[in-house]
Amino acid sequence: MTQQYRFGPLISDAGVTFRLWAPAARDVELLIGGPAPLNQAMTRSGDWFEAHVADAHAGTRYRFRIDGELDIPDPISHFQPDDIAGPSEVIDHSLHRWQCADWKGLPWQHAVFLETHVGTFTTEGTYRAMMEKLDHLAETGITALELMPLADFPGRWNWGYDGVLPFAPDSAYGTPDDLKALIDAAHARGIMVFLDVVYNHFGPEGNYLYRLSPQFFAKAHTPWGVAIDYRVPEVRAYVIENALHWLRDYRFDGLRLDAVHAIVDPGEPHILTDLAQVVNELAAETGRHIHLVLENDDNAVQFLAPDATVSNGFYRAQWNDDYHHAWHVLLTGESSGYYRDYQDLDVHIERALAQGFSYQGEASAHRGGQLRGAACGYLPRADFVNFVQNHDQIGNRPFGERLAALIKPEPLEAALAVLMLQPSPPLMFMGDEWGATEPFRFFCDFKGDLGEAVRKGRKAEYAEWHATAGDGIPDPLAKETKDSAVLGWDALTRSPYKERLALVRALLKARREHIEPLLPAMIGAGEASLRAGLLTARWQAGGKALMLLANLSDSLRPKPDALDWGLPIWGDTPPPELPPWSVYAAVESA
């Protein structure tokens, strides 16, 4: 029997019971099949409508007709073969035969992330095509494949953050069984799979919840749409069931919750606490390693696990934008937008390495003097996911340039070395492992007035850049914009890409052998100093310590006189004069 939830079709040996929560509807009809569907009135009980169909089964297509005037897909649809405006398809998840049914996941200290967009990861842009690249990930040392959001979106392509049917993986990439095959194949290679989910808003096209249940939404707005009201019990149940749907029915190893700072009405207890508690219970019941990761621009710490174990509604880690912003300024010298907050490089890089967040209650000039963050030095180093690039930081640039197209190779390789050798779980964006130069610009496939509004909105957002860019900012609606982001895998056989890949693989091997064993004991802040381009850092882990030394400049720098070096794990013992952009790491025993 498939896993049953409160929302969505209920499958049994006696057929399928269709259910819809629609407080604002007067009456609802179930439309079965097509193009000339059979109509069946649904019975109302309170705010719920229900109809049982004895001969319905997996593969049955259906819609709901609201008040005799509006035909809609199921808001809890598990698949939309013909995009968001088409009929929903009944999916029986119990029919899939898992090849790695005994997979339990990996402990968190082994996490090395590669963030990916399915539609541009390969030329085909499908789950099946992505499966062909899994051996590359395993050989590189990637242990966590993170997929950008899959929730069904309007049109042929999208970043995924405009999803409107959160239970339905978009048909542009394949079928639900194709997605399960990808996850199964990753597990067979020892790779966890994470999914990016959006619980702060719905996309602007194809969301009928406004019509069915206006109480789903708060009066406030997020930057991307009307906020969701988690004070309503049904709304809270909806998102918790969505998380369980991905973790149980698809066996994802974890979720990354997008922009949780934009959740306006979290309810009591906070929806994040409630969700994590349920997921932590699932992990305990099944013996699986299930990891929850937050993106929270507020640098809040109350949801993060204070020790190496996770329970009682805590999250395993949080994306650390401060780490990225400080390193981006060091590498590029940029000072516009939020980068203005990171011009004091020594302070921000030191704190991001030693403690996690660099903003821990200080005023942010970019945010008009708003205080941002809270003390975080007491937390495990593994509570922070660090990166020097991700989809946002590349894609929200007007031209979507990667660092490989902006700076010389030596500084970027030094930044990658520090990223892989510092304690916190590292994340790369797809192609970073070989220095891909394909831009990743914002793209979507909206039509009509909405499409034109997006086009104008992106130009307005880039007003500061547009003065120098002229009219050359790529059209977010153009197919060419999406196509330009597709990775060129043939680069792996050519220089300098194959040399970069060899470097990253060697770094991850050193991390796997020498750093990951230290992480469970690495609780609390480390030490870091950056002076005139000379970086030193040290993190205690029980009776051992991880040491890092780097010259982050174009000139020779003298090795610190008082430096006691341990067993080298990257590079030899540092020479008296450190070459430009050189990185060394060692493990010291007490």
mmCIF file of all heavy atoms in Angstrom, residues 309-333:
data_model
loop_
_atom_site.group_PDB
_atom_site.id
_atom_site.type_symbol
_atom_site.label_atom_id
_atom_site.label_comp_id
_atom_site.label_asym_id
_atom_site.label_seq_id
_atom_site.Cartn_x
_atom_site.Cartn_y
_atom_site.Cartn_z
ATOM 1 N N THR A 309 24.417 15.754 17.145
ATOM 2 C CA THR A 309 23.196 15.004 16.873
ATOM 3 C C THR A 309 22.054 15.970 16.601
ATOM 4 O O THR A 309 22.110 17.150 16.967
ATOM 5 C CB THR A 309 22.836 14.108 18.060
ATOM 6 O OG1 THR A 309 22.644 14.926 19.231
ATOM 7 C CG2 THR A 309 23.939 13.098 18.330
ATOM 8 N N VAL A 310 21.007 15.470 15.953
ATOM 9 C CA VAL A 310 19.870 16.311 15.606
ATOM 10 C C VAL A 310 18.596 15.664 16.135
ATOM 11 O O VAL A 310 18.309 14.505 15.842
ATOM 12 C CB VAL A 310 19.754 16.497 14.078
ATOM 13 C CG1 VAL A 310 18.547 17.368 13.750
ATOM 14 C CG2 VAL A 310 21.013 17.136 13.526
ATOM 15 N N SER A 311 17.832 16.425 16.913
ATOM 16 C CA SER A 311 16.539 15.966 17.411
ATOM 17 C C SER A 311 15.762 17.183 17.891
ATOM 18 O O SER A 311 16.234 18.311 17.785
ATOM 19 C CB SER A 311 16.716 14.952 18.559
ATOM 20 O OG SER A 311 17.404 15.564 19.639
ATOM 21 N N ASN A 312 14.554 16.948 18.402
ATOM 22 C CA ASN A 312 13.754 18.010 19.026
ATOM 23 C C ASN A 312 13.504 19.197 18.111
ATOM 24 O O ASN A 312 13.486 20.347 18.552
ATOM 25 C CB ASN A 312 14.418 18.492 20.322
ATOM 26 C CG ASN A 312 14.577 17.387 21.336
ATOM 27 O OD1 ASN A 312 13.686 16.555 21.487
ATOM 28 N ND2 ASN A 312 15.715 17.347 22.016
ATOM 29 N N GLY A 313 13.336 18.917 16.810
ATOM 30 C CA GLY A 313 12.942 19.981 15.894
ATOM 31 C C GLY A 313 14.067 20.835 15.366
ATOM 32 O O GLY A 313 13.806 21.890 14.787
ATOM 33 N N PHE A 314 15.317 20.413 15.531
ATOM 34 C CA PHE A 314 16.438 21.196 15.022
ATOM 35 C C PHE A 314 16.787 20.808 13.583
ATOM 36 O O PHE A 314 16.412 19.737 13.094
ATOM 37 C CB PHE A 314 17.683 20.999 15.900
ATOM 38 C CG PHE A 314 17.608 21.710 17.215
ATOM 39 C CD1 PHE A 314 17.570 20.980 18.406
ATOM 40 C CD2 PHE A 314 17.581 23.089 17.277
ATOM 41 C CE1 PHE A 314 17.518 21.628 19.627
ATOM 42 C CE2 PHE A 314 17.524 23.737 18.494
ATOM 43 C CZ PHE A 314 17.485 23.016 19.681
ATOM 44 N N TYR A 315 17.543 21.704 12.945
ATOM 45 C CA TYR A 315 18.040 21.481 11.583
ATOM 46 C C TYR A 315 19.530 21.195 11.637
ATOM 47 O O TYR A 315 20.240 21.665 12.523
ATOM 48 C CB TYR A 315 17.751 22.702 10.716
ATOM 49 C CG TYR A 315 16.291 22.823 10.373
ATOM 50 C CD1 TYR A 315 15.356 23.190 11.343
ATOM 51 C CD2 TYR A 315 15.827 22.531 9.100
ATOM 52 C CE1 TYR A 315 14.005 23.267 11.055
ATOM 53 C CE2 TYR A 315 14.478 22.606 8.786
ATOM 54 C CZ TYR A 315 13.569 22.978 9.764
ATOM 55 O OH TYR A 315 12.224 23.036 9.476
ATOM 56 N N ARG A 316 19.977 20.435 10.634
ATOM 57 C CA ARG A 316 21.370 20.026 10.647
ATOM 58 C C ARG A 316 22.313 21.158 10.261
ATOM 59 O O ARG A 316 23.437 21.233 10.772
ATOM 60 C CB ARG A 316 21.561 18.837 9.692
ATOM 61 C CG ARG A 316 22.978 18.311 9.603
ATOM 62 C CD ARG A 316 23.523 17.790 10.929
ATOM 63 N NE ARG A 316 23.994 18.854 11.825
ATOM 64 C CZ ARG A 316 24.297 18.687 13.098
ATOM 65 N NH1 ARG A 316 24.171 17.510 13.654
ATOM 66 N NH2 ARG A 316 24.719 19.687 13.839
ATOM 67 N N ALA A 317 21.890 22.043 9.336
ATOM 68 C CA ALA A 317 22.821 23.072 8.869
ATOM 69 C C ALA A 317 22.063 24.199 8.191
ATOM 70 O O ALA A 317 20.854 24.098 7.933
ATOM 71 C CB ALA A 317 23.861 22.477 7.914
ATOM 72 N N GLN A 318 22.808 25.254 7.891
ATOM 73 C CA GLN A 318 22.257 26.429 7.225
ATOM 74 C C GLN A 318 23.270 26.953 6.214
ATOM 75 O O GLN A 318 24.475 26.921 6.469
ATOM 76 C CB GLN A 318 21.946 27.513 8.260
ATOM 77 C CG GLN A 318 21.141 28.699 7.738
ATOM 78 C CD GLN A 318 20.482 29.447 8.889
ATOM 79 O OE1 GLN A 318 19.600 28.906 9.553
ATOM 80 N NE2 GLN A 318 20.912 30.660 9.132
ATOM 81 N N TRP A 319 22.792 27.371 5.059
ATOM 82 C CA TRP A 319 23.674 28.004 4.077
ATOM 83 C C TRP A 319 24.306 29.257 4.684
ATOM 84 O O TRP A 319 23.620 30.041 5.339
ATOM 85 C CB TRP A 319 22.888 28.376 2.830
ATOM 86 C CG TRP A 319 22.769 27.263 1.828
ATOM 87 C CD1 TRP A 319 22.815 25.926 2.075
ATOM 88 C CD2 TRP A 319 22.567 27.423 0.419
ATOM 89 N NE1 TRP A 319 22.654 25.230 0.901
ATOM 90 C CE2 TRP A 319 22.504 26.122 -0.127
ATOM 91 C CE3 TRP A 319 22.436 28.518 -0.419
ATOM 92 C CZ2 TRP A 319 22.310 25.901 -1.505
ATOM 93 C CZ3 TRP A 319 22.241 28.295 -1.779
ATOM 94 C CH2 TRP A 319 22.193 27.000 -2.309
ATOM 95 N N ASN A 320 25.594 29.435 4.414
ATOM 96 C CA ASN A 320 26.334 30.562 4.993
ATOM 97 C C ASN A 320 26.671 31.568 3.893
ATOM 98 O O ASN A 320 27.737 31.519 3.288
ATOM 99 C CB ASN A 320 27.613 30.052 5.671
ATOM 100 C CG ASN A 320 28.320 31.147 6.448
ATOM 101 O OD1 ASN A 320 27.870 32.292 6.505
ATOM 102 N ND2 ASN A 320 29.438 30.807 7.052
ATOM 103 N N ASP A 321 25.739 32.485 3.642
ATOM 104 C CA ASP A 321 25.972 33.512 2.622
ATOM 105 C C ASP A 321 27.149 34.408 2.980
ATOM 106 O O ASP A 321 27.841 34.920 2.087
ATOM 107 C CB ASP A 321 24.719 34.370 2.433
ATOM 108 C CG ASP A 321 23.657 33.666 1.605
ATOM 109 O OD1 ASP A 321 24.019 32.745 0.847
ATOM 110 O OD2 ASP A 321 22.472 34.029 1.722
ATOM 111 N N ASP A 322 27.380 34.624 4.268
ATOM 112 C CA ASP A 322 28.504 35.481 4.675
ATOM 113 C C ASP A 322 29.818 34.941 4.138
ATOM 114 O O ASP A 322 30.694 35.709 3.715
ATOM 115 C CB ASP A 322 28.581 35.570 6.203
ATOM 116 C CG ASP A 322 27.513 36.468 6.789
ATOM 117 O OD1 ASP A 322 26.795 37.124 6.019
ATOM 118 O OD2 ASP A 322 27.400 36.518 8.024
ATOM 119 N N TYR A 323 29.982 33.630 4.185
ATOM 120 C CA TYR A 323 31.222 33.033 3.671
ATOM 121 C C TYR A 323 31.389 33.392 2.201
ATOM 122 O O TYR A 323 32.453 33.827 1.768
ATOM 123 C CB TYR A 323 31.185 31.516 3.856
ATOM 124 C CG TYR A 323 32.482 30.823 3.485
ATOM 125 C CD1 TYR A 323 33.429 30.522 4.466
ATOM 126 C CD2 TYR A 323 32.781 30.466 2.165
ATOM 127 C CE1 TYR A 323 34.623 29.882 4.139
ATOM 128 C CE2 TYR A 323 33.958 29.843 1.827
ATOM 129 C CZ TYR A 323 34.889 29.554 2.815
ATOM 130 O OH TYR A 323 36.071 28.945 2.473
ATOM 131 N N HIS A 324 30.329 33.197 1.430
ATOM 132 C CA HIS A 324 30.407 33.515 0.002
ATOM 133 C C HIS A 324 30.712 34.980 -0.239
ATOM 134 O O HIS A 324 31.594 35.337 -1.022
ATOM 135 C CB HIS A 324 29.101 33.163 -0.710
ATOM 136 C CG HIS A 324 29.034 33.738 -2.088
ATOM 137 N ND1 HIS A 324 28.534 35.011 -2.347
ATOM 138 C CD2 HIS A 324 29.457 33.257 -3.289
ATOM 139 C CE1 HIS A 324 28.633 35.255 -3.640
ATOM 140 N NE2 HIS A 324 29.184 34.209 -4.233
ATOM 141 N N HIS A 325 29.958 35.864 0.411
ATOM 142 C CA HIS A 325 30.081 37.291 0.116
ATOM 143 C C HIS A 325 31.493 37.798 0.417
ATOM 144 O O HIS A 325 32.067 38.571 -0.366
ATOM 145 C CB HIS A 325 29.058 38.079 0.925
ATOM 146 C CG HIS A 325 27.630 37.737 0.590
ATOM 147 N ND1 HIS A 325 27.276 37.034 -0.536
ATOM 148 C CD2 HIS A 325 26.467 38.005 1.257
ATOM 149 C CE1 HIS A 325 25.952 36.891 -0.558
ATOM 150 N NE2 HIS A 325 25.447 37.466 0.511
ATOM 151 N N ALA A 326 32.052 37.375 1.552
ATOM 152 C CA ALA A 326 33.393 37.834 1.905
ATOM 153 C C ALA A 326 34.426 37.339 0.895
ATOM 154 O O ALA A 326 35.308 38.099 0.457
ATOM 155 C CB ALA A 326 33.746 37.356 3.315
ATOM 156 N N TRP A 327 34.339 36.083 0.504
ATOM 157 C CA TRP A 327 35.297 35.551 -0.468
ATOM 158 C C TRP A 327 35.098 36.164 -1.846
ATOM 159 O O TRP A 327 36.074 36.391 -2.577
ATOM 160 C CB TRP A 327 35.187 34.025 -0.525
ATOM 161 C CG TRP A 327 35.957 33.386 0.582
ATOM 162 C CD1 TRP A 327 35.517 33.084 1.835
ATOM 163 C CD2 TRP A 327 37.329 33.000 0.537
ATOM 164 N NE1 TRP A 327 36.521 32.539 2.587
ATOM 165 C CE2 TRP A 327 37.651 32.461 1.817
ATOM 166 C CE3 TRP A 327 38.319 33.041 -0.436
ATOM 167 C CZ2 TRP A 327 38.916 31.986 2.135
ATOM 168 C CZ3 TRP A 327 39.582 32.561 -0.127
ATOM 169 C CH2 TRP A 327 39.878 32.044 1.133
ATOM 170 N N HIS A 328 33.860 36.460 -2.199
ATOM 171 C CA HIS A 328 33.624 37.092 -3.501
ATOM 172 C C HIS A 328 34.280 38.466 -3.559
ATOM 173 O O HIS A 328 34.879 38.845 -4.577
ATOM 174 C CB HIS A 328 32.118 37.219 -3.768
ATOM 175 C CG HIS A 328 31.791 37.668 -5.159
ATOM 176 N ND1 HIS A 328 31.610 36.788 -6.205
ATOM 177 C CD2 HIS A 328 31.637 38.910 -5.693
ATOM 178 C CE1 HIS A 328 31.354 37.460 -7.307
ATOM 179 N NE2 HIS A 328 31.352 38.744 -7.024
ATOM 180 N N VAL A 329 34.181 39.213 -2.478
ATOM 181 C CA VAL A 329 34.823 40.529 -2.438
ATOM 182 C C VAL A 329 36.341 40.382 -2.511
ATOM 183 O O VAL A 329 37.027 41.126 -3.218
ATOM 184 C CB VAL A 329 34.395 41.291 -1.168
ATOM 185 C CG1 VAL A 329 35.225 42.567 -1.003
ATOM 186 C CG2 VAL A 329 32.907 41.637 -1.244
ATOM 187 N N LEU A 330 36.892 39.416 -1.773
ATOM 188 C CA LEU A 330 38.337 39.205 -1.830
ATOM 189 C C LEU A 330 38.795 38.868 -3.249
ATOM 190 O O LEU A 330 39.821 39.366 -3.727
ATOM 191 C CB LEU A 330 38.735 38.069 -0.884
ATOM 192 C CG LEU A 330 40.237 37.761 -0.784
ATOM 193 C CD1 LEU A 330 40.585 37.290 0.618
ATOM 194 C CD2 LEU A 330 40.683 36.701 -1.788
ATOM 195 N N LEU A 331 38.015 38.039 -3.953
ATOM 196 C CA LEU A 331 38.429 37.568 -5.275
ATOM 197 C C LEU A 331 38.168 38.569 -6.391
ATOM 198 O O LEU A 331 38.910 38.617 -7.372
ATOM 199 C CB LEU A 331 37.714 36.245 -5.589
ATOM 200 C CG LEU A 331 38.061 35.062 -4.676
ATOM 201 C CD1 LEU A 331 37.100 33.907 -4.935
ATOM 202 C CD2 LEU A 331 39.501 34.618 -4.886
ATOM 203 N N THR A 332 37.102 39.362 -6.262
ATOM 204 C CA THR A 332 36.708 40.247 -7.369
ATOM 205 C C THR A 332 36.878 41.728 -7.070
ATOM 206 O O THR A 332 36.934 42.532 -7.998
ATOM 207 C CB THR A 332 35.234 40.017 -7.747
ATOM 208 O OG1 THR A 332 34.388 40.467 -6.666
ATOM 209 C CG2 THR A 332 34.966 38.541 -8.033
ATOM 210 N N GLY A 333 36.911 42.100 -5.783
ATOM 211 C CA GLY A 333 36.970 43.509 -5.425
ATOM 212 C C GLY A 333 35.652 44.240 -5.598
ATOM 213 O O GLY A 333 35.601 45.470 -5.458
#
